[in-house]
Amino acid sequence: MKYTEYDFNEKTILITGAAGFIGSNLCFYFQNNYPMAKIIALDSFRSGETLSNGNLKSFGHYKNLLGFKGTVISGDINDKELLNQIDEDYDFDFIFHEAAISDTTASEQDLMVKTNVNAYEDLLKMAINHNANMIYASSAATYGDAASPQTVGNENPGNVYGFSKLMMDNITYDYLKKDLDISIVGLRYFNVYGPREYYKNKTASTVIQFGHQILAGNTPKLFEGSDKILRDFIYIEDVIQANIKAATPKKSGIYNVGTGKARSFQDIADILQKELGTNLGTNYIPNPYIGQYQFHTEANIEDTKTYLEYAPKYEMEDGIKDYISEIKRIYEVEVK
Ligand SMILES: NC(=O)c1ccc[n+]([C@@H]2O[C@H](COP(=O)([O-])OP(=O)(O)OC[C@H]3O[C@@H](n4cnc5c(N)ncnc54)[C@H](O)[C@@H]3O)[C@@H](O)[C@H]2O)c1
């Protein structure tokens, strides 16, 4: 499905974080729709190295790229020599920058700021050098507990991850003051779910985690009051749509990428049980994060609609329906 009239065939596209959830979906979007596009997939892949919270330092997994026909480069975006080499070797038309410490619970402030903020500026300089439009992943985490609907300009990050994404956006605003020939778009994704997220392990969405609990015959475990914990959950297809439209925007800037509707964790469990034909009820557990938990996120997507012509297509019911066969396949192949 093509989301734009623009023809990406013959274009050279750098995708960072390409072995991760969103980056790999972008790789396949271009491969499937624009077979003559040259796709360079850069990722540090997983090494087994962990952060102090026990999670992997990088979640890239080769299985996300099985079937990919473009060029794969294993490397760290913090490695300036590598970036210089890539800068010399290719002439990019677009950079889709998804690489990041994506773990919102990581506490290594040094690594987070270096990887998410400083490497972004290096890549942005590369984009300017090549006259390549830059599309990068910001995050709804920039809002922290700011009131719904979350709106660009009203941020309050609650952790170093959200801080790092906000600092990326500040860099963007700074560069946009210059008279550049390229467009720069930061996309503040809300809670994304969909195929190729499984290898994010514990940081994958609750959609696949509840899905696998149910497939194992277990009652899904939810925090008490989960019918009142609401988030703007967005299906990967709509995130891809936003990225493609952001490649040739009407206006550079920072945009929210959500559905504009808040749904509850209880809804996820209920829709999954309906799709999987189970009636296991719900197992409520106390919420240990009371006080530091976002209870209501909902993206204000007015500007995204206006300036990117973005139109989300997937209600949660549609997204889970589309995703369910992959949730089952992954369960068979990886979990059982
Ligand atoms: N998934 C979501 O709900 C969500 C929400 C908001 C923002 N985001 C942002 O979207 C982007 C993609 O997220 P995702 O969900 O696909 O996460 P992900 O962890 O699957 O993808 C990030 C990729 O970046 C790679 N990476 C990490 N450090 C790197 C480094 N130093 N050099 C090169 N590669 C490195 C990882 O190996 C991984 O493959 C990230 O920037 C993330 O912060 C995601």
Side-chain angles (χ1 to χ4, degrees), residues 38-42 68-73 90:
K38 181 163 180 55
I39 310 162
I40 315 296
L42 170 65
F68 176 61
K69 299 189 180 85
T71 303
V72 176
I73 300 172
Y90 301 98

Side-chain angles (χ1 to χ4, degrees), residues 149-168:
Q150 283 78 32
T151 304
V152 175
N154 191 16
E155 296 81 11
N156 187 23
N159 53 36
V160 65
Y161 170 79
F163 169 82
S164 74
K165 294 289 178 177
L166 184 55
M167 294 306 111
M168 291 173 78

Side-chain angles (χ1 to χ4, degrees), residues 238-259:
D238 284 332
V239 169
I240 298 302
Q241 182 204 145
N243 271 276
I244 299 311
K245 291 181 171 171
T248 54
K250 282 189 178 163
K251 196 171 124 188
S252 290
I254 314 298
Y255 297 100
N256 284 338
V257 179
T259 60

Side-chain angles (χ1 to χ4, degrees), residues 4-51:
T4 172
E5 299 282 299
Y6 185 87
D7 187 4
F8 289 94
N9 279 312
E10 313 291 346
K11 301 295 178 197
T12 303
I13 303 167
L14 173 64
I15 302 176
T16 72
F21 169 32
I22 298 169
S24 59
N25 278 287
L26 275 170
C27 288
F28 284 102
Y29 177 84
F30 286 115
Q31 177 167 303
N32 295 337
N33 289 287
Y34 303 97
M36 302 306 286
K38 181 163 180 55
I39 310 162
I40 315 296
L42 170 65
D43 201 292
S44 53
F45 290 83
R46 60 189 56 204
S47 63
E49 200 180 329
T50 53
L51 300 170

Side-chain angles (χ1 to χ4, degrees), residues 190-192 230-234 258-263 297-299:
F190 279 61
N191 287 66
V192 192
L230 308 179
R231 295 277 169 87
D232 193 329
F233 294 98
I234 173 139
T259 60
K261 284 181 196 145
R263 299 291 301 265
T297 70
E298 185 178 295

Side-chain angles (χ1 to χ4, degrees), residues 242-314:
N243 271 276
I244 299 311
K245 291 181 171 171
T248 54
K250 282 189 178 163
K251 196 171 124 188
S252 290
I254 314 298
Y255 297 100
N256 284 338
V257 179
T259 60
K261 284 181 196 145
R263 299 291 301 265
S264 72
F265 284 92
Q266 187 75 56
D267 285 340
I268 296 179
D270 293 349
I271 297 167
L272 280 165
Q273 295 226 49
K274 187 164 168 252
E275 285 298 327
L276 294 169
T278 57
N279 198 1
L280 297 162
T282 310
N283 185 0
Y284 294 105
I285 54 171
N287 185 347
Y289 303 108
I290 291 251
Q292 35 164 322
Y293 206 67
Q294 283 173 297
F295 279 85
H296 195 288
T297 70
E298 185 178 295
N300 176 343
I301 56 172
E302 290 314 308
D303 280 356
T304 328
K305 286 181 180 167
T306 305
Y307 297 112
L308 302 186
E309 295 181 337
Y310 163 75
K313 290 199 167 56
Y314 290 81

Side-chain angles (χ1 to χ4, degrees), residues 107-175:
S107 58
E108 281 79 355
Q109 301 193 12
D110 49 354
L111 186 68
M112 185 75 86
V113 173
K114 194 164 130 187
T115 309
N116 293 9
V117 187
N118 304 138
Y120 165 60
E121 188 164 2
D122 292 341
L123 285 159
L124 187 52
K125 285 179 186 159
M126 191 197 286
I128 293 167
N129 193 21
H130 288 275
N131 231 355
N133 286 356
M134 166 64 91
I135 307 92
Y136 71 92
S138 179
S139 172
T142 51
Y143 296 116
D145 62 0
S148 280
Q150 283 78 32
T151 304
V152 175
N154 191 16
E155 296 81 11
N156 187 23
N159 53 36
V160 65
Y161 170 79
F163 169 82
S164 74
K165 294 289 178 177
L166 184 55
M167 294 306 111
M168 291 173 78
D169 296 344
N170 287 348
I171 289 172
T172 302
Y173 285 127
D174 216 31
Y175 276 74

